[in-house]
Amino acid sequence: MNTRKNITFSGISISEGLAVGRAFVFQDIFERDLEAYTIEMEQVDGEYARLERAIEEVLADLSLSADRVEEDLESAIGNIFRAHGEMLRDVAFINEIRTEIERELVNSERALRCVFGRWERKFRSMDSDVFKLRGDDVADLARRLLRSLAGLHSHSLERMPSGSILVAQKLLPSDTTFFSQRSVAGIVVEHGGPGSHCALLTRQLGIPGVTQVPDLLDSIKTGDLLLLDGLRGAVTVAPDRAGQARFSARMKQYYAGSMDAKKHSHESAVTRDGVTIPVMANIGNRHDAETAVENGADGVGLFRIEVFFLSRKILPTEEELVTGISKAIIPMKGKPVTIRLLDIGGDKPLPYLPLPPEPDPFLGRRGVRFLLDYPELLDVQLRALLRISREHDIQIIVPMVTIVDDMKKVRAALDRVGLELGYNTLPPLGAMIETPAAALCADEIAAVSDTLNIGSNDLTQYTMAAGRENAFVYKYFMDDHPSVFKLLQHIGREAKQTPVGICGELAGQSNQVQALLRAGMRMLSVPPPLIPSVKEAVRQARAM
Ligand code: PEP
Ligand code: MG
């Protein structure tokens, strides 16, 4: 490898911020030379026993990881580890490795690489993005088993010095658990789109991050000094003194600005012409809610509740939903909380609802379309949310509305469930505007909705015809493109008296706040670490 000096690599930002630190290059165990050898027939039982021990160890480790992550983050990642445990208990998988050992007379490492490699390729070649992601799960499990067989009892990220900039080709779910425990100054990954797991987590935790930096690993070694620019999406390797000094000055200014913003983050955000704009948080769990409160959130503008439904064997009960959601929003204490009905579809199957695969899942049965086809799934949520509304100031929002009928049907279901439970007052019901069709007919939809909440991530993907998760077309995925803004302005005008807010990632970009307010947005909901800077941007802007 040839470490280059003072070279700047361009990528794309996945999480705002600036960082200076020494690189910690994460070397994947898969890429190392592992002991792989052939064996004699009489050694087969010995290999089975080694494999058995490794499986037991990994199962114990997975359960520990799940507990640890749930304690720290209470996040969906905990469920991923539980699902990995289930996969490893699958006898068919294990038998395939045993057969490979016996038939090919090879040690466990070699058999395991071969079988897991086959499964990984199989998943990755599938059309569905979800099945492609299962390839990551398989790879992650294989790594854990290989580590255990090699007698490596700690994850190499545990040895990462605090304050490092983590550099990796790709990060898998098991790697990301270490972000919450150790202080990582920044993250650079060669591959992965802005919608990837790792990108969402870095933003949610407020760690600066850059991705799409091809060939970076060829030019970096552990210990190299890096300047990570999560504002412009760039990484400088081994900077010269002048470059370091300029970067330090920018960092000082940026973080002084952030500190200033934080000082006032618990005050309301009022524009220069006197309009108060609630700046709310996007959350998915209790930890997010706590960070939101620390950062001065005026409430929750989007609670994504998918975590309560995915990676389970059976549908959650009404009781489980009431307990889970109520527990997560305790830190909000009386502040308004907007809860979105389950947003899943053909690309995110529920294990207890086997569905036929769809040829084009993102244009398929997503969000409200799915709920209207499975009324029992809708009813259990409405019942739970009505019960929660007795204790909390909540609003319900409906994902993926395309036509006015979508809202009318959910409204009818809410009225019916309210009647069944004997409720006289029902929480407000809002529509998420995430498709160009809904945006263009915002007047009709506003007439039957209490609020309009713009999901700019999906609105961008459908307007620009560029998949959110598709790293090949990320250049088309421009949420600040004039076509997206024209739709926002149209919604702002046509909504008339119905309040309009925005909860996609666009709302968190401080330099867009002025344009968003001018387009008529009167509530901004953003990842918790961005609340102070967005409030500050509101104070500098005019609403009219
Ligand atoms: C959006 O689409 O902008 C949104 C807020 O919802 P999600 O990102 O969960 O699809
Ligand atoms: Mg959406």
Side-chain angles (χ1 to χ4, degrees), residues 219-356:
S219 309
I220 285 187
K221 57 178 179 7
T222 292
D224 282 346
L225 188 66
L226 301 184
L227 307 179
L228 186 148
D229 187 338
L231 300 173
R232 296 177 183 156
V235 188
T236 305
V237 184
D240 58 21
R241 275 177 194 280
Q244 271 185 64
R246 275 195 305 275
F247 196 81
S248 295
R250 261 184 81 208
M251 248 178 107
K252 232 188 218 158
Q253 197 184 13
Y254 176 78
Y255 285 104
S258 305
M259 291 298 283
D260 266 2
K262 217 157 174 180
K263 269 192 228 146
H264 300 286
S265 68
H266 291 268
E267 297 160 22
S268 304
V270 183
T271 61
R272 285 164 57 201
D273 48 351
V275 179
T276 301
I277 305 291
V279 179
M280 321 273 266
N282 293 346
I283 68 163
N285 55 53
R286 165 85 173 245
H287 178 266
D288 292 343
E290 282 161 0
T291 319
V293 171
E294 277 163 29
N295 282 293
D298 296 317
V300 170
L302 170 66
F303 187 172
R304 296 178 166 105
I305 61 166
E306 287 67 44
V307 57
F308 300 106
F309 290 84
L310 296 167
S311 305
R312 287 178 56 101
K313 283 213 174 111
I314 49 168
L315 186 72
T317 62
E318 180 185 321
E319 204 54 46
E320 281 169 331
L321 285 176
V322 172
T323 315
I325 295 174
S326 305
K327 202 173 133 206
I329 60 177
I330 288 173
M332 298 316 299
K333 288 195 201 97
K335 292 197 163 88
V337 175
T338 300
I339 303 174
R340 179 177 70 186
L341 295 173
L342 180 65
D343 182 13
I344 53 152
D347 71 314
K348 286 187 217 140
L350 291 177
Y352 39 87
L353 257 185
L355 298 168

Side-chain angles (χ1 to χ4, degrees), residues 302 304 340 343 366 399-400 432-434 454-459 461-462 468 503-504:
L302 170 66
R304 296 178 166 105
R340 179 177 70 186
D343 182 13
R366 261 195 73 183
M400 254 315 261
M432 283 201 70
I433 306 295
E434 314 190 81
I454 297 169
S456 57
N457 308 333
D458 277 312
L459 187 59
Q461 104 164 322
Y462 294 123
R468 305 167 52 164
C503 55

Side-chain angles (χ1 to χ4, degrees), residues 84-354:
H84 284 185
E86 294 299 317
M87 215 187 231
L88 199 50
R89 284 191 191 90
D90 186 335
V91 233
F93 228 166
I94 303 310
N95 280 347
E96 207 175 315
I97 306 172
R98 291 171 72 120
T99 309
E100 187 78 21
I101 294 176
E102 191 177 339
R103 202 181 49 209
E104 303 296 325
L105 290 176
V106 288
N107 69 340
S108 303
E109 284 86 342
R110 198 144 135 188
L112 204 136
R113 266 185 173 223
C114 184
V115 170
F116 275 78
R118 220 161 30 224
W119 277 96
E120 194 184 335
R121 282 193 298 280
K122 212 181 269 182
F123 279 122
R124 292 206 197 283
S125 67
M126 291 183 179
D127 283 339
S128 147
D129 283 344
V130 168
F131 284 121
K132 278 195 174 61
L133 279 178
R134 292 308 292 251
D136 279 355
D137 295 330
V138 171
D140 208 13
L141 259 184
R143 283 175 179 92
R144 281 185 185 267
L145 285 166
L146 288 172
R147 254 192 317 259
S148 168
L149 283 167
L152 298 173
H153 292 291
S154 67
H155 192 290
S156 67
L157 287 184
E158 274 179 280
R159 294 192 297 276
M160 175 168 55
S162 152
S164 302
I165 294 184
L166 173 58
V167 182
Q169 201 176 37
K170 183 170 179 153
L171 289 170
L172 292 168
S174 65
D175 307 323
T176 56
T177 51
F178 294 92
F179 296 0
S180 59
Q181 295 173 317
R182 306 189 56 90
S183 78
V184 182
I187 289 169
V188 192
V189 278
E190 271 194 345
H191 303 291
S196 65
H197 215 94
C198 159
L200 294 185
L201 197 71
T202 44
R203 271 199 295 277
Q204 213 57 19
L205 295 174
I207 302 171
V210 173
T211 184
Q212 294 294 334
V213 201
D215 307 326
L216 181 69
L217 287 176
D218 292 339
S219 309
I220 285 187
K221 57 178 179 7
T222 292
D224 282 346
L225 188 66
L226 301 184
L227 307 179
L228 186 148
D229 187 338
L231 300 173
R232 296 177 183 156
V235 188
T236 305
V237 184
D240 58 21
R241 275 177 194 280
Q244 271 185 64
R246 275 195 305 275
F247 196 81
S248 295
R250 261 184 81 208
M251 248 178 107
K252 232 188 218 158
Q253 197 184 13
Y254 176 78
Y255 285 104
S258 305
M259 291 298 283
D260 266 2
K262 217 157 174 180
K263 269 192 228 146
H264 300 286
S265 68
H266 291 268
E267 297 160 22
S268 304
V270 183
T271 61
R272 285 164 57 201
D273 48 351
V275 179
T276 301
I277 305 291
V279 179
M280 321 273 266
N282 293 346
I283 68 163
N285 55 53
R286 165 85 173 245
H287 178 266
D288 292 343
E290 282 161 0
T291 319
V293 171
E294 277 163 29
N295 282 293
D298 296 317
V300 170
L302 170 66
F303 187 172
R304 296 178 166 105
I305 61 166
E306 287 67 44
V307 57
F308 300 106
F309 290 84
L310 296 167
S311 305
R312 287 178 56 101
K313 283 213 174 111
I314 49 168
L315 186 72
T317 62
E318 180 185 321
E319 204 54 46
E320 281 169 331
L321 285 176
V322 172
T323 315
I325 295 174
S326 305
K327 202 173 133 206
I329 60 177
I330 288 173
M332 298 316 299
K333 288 195 201 97
K335 292 197 163 88
V337 175
T338 300
I339 303 174
R340 179 177 70 186
L341 295 173
L342 180 65
D343 182 13
I344 53 152
D347 71 314
K348 286 187 217 140
L350 291 177
Y352 39 87
L353 257 185

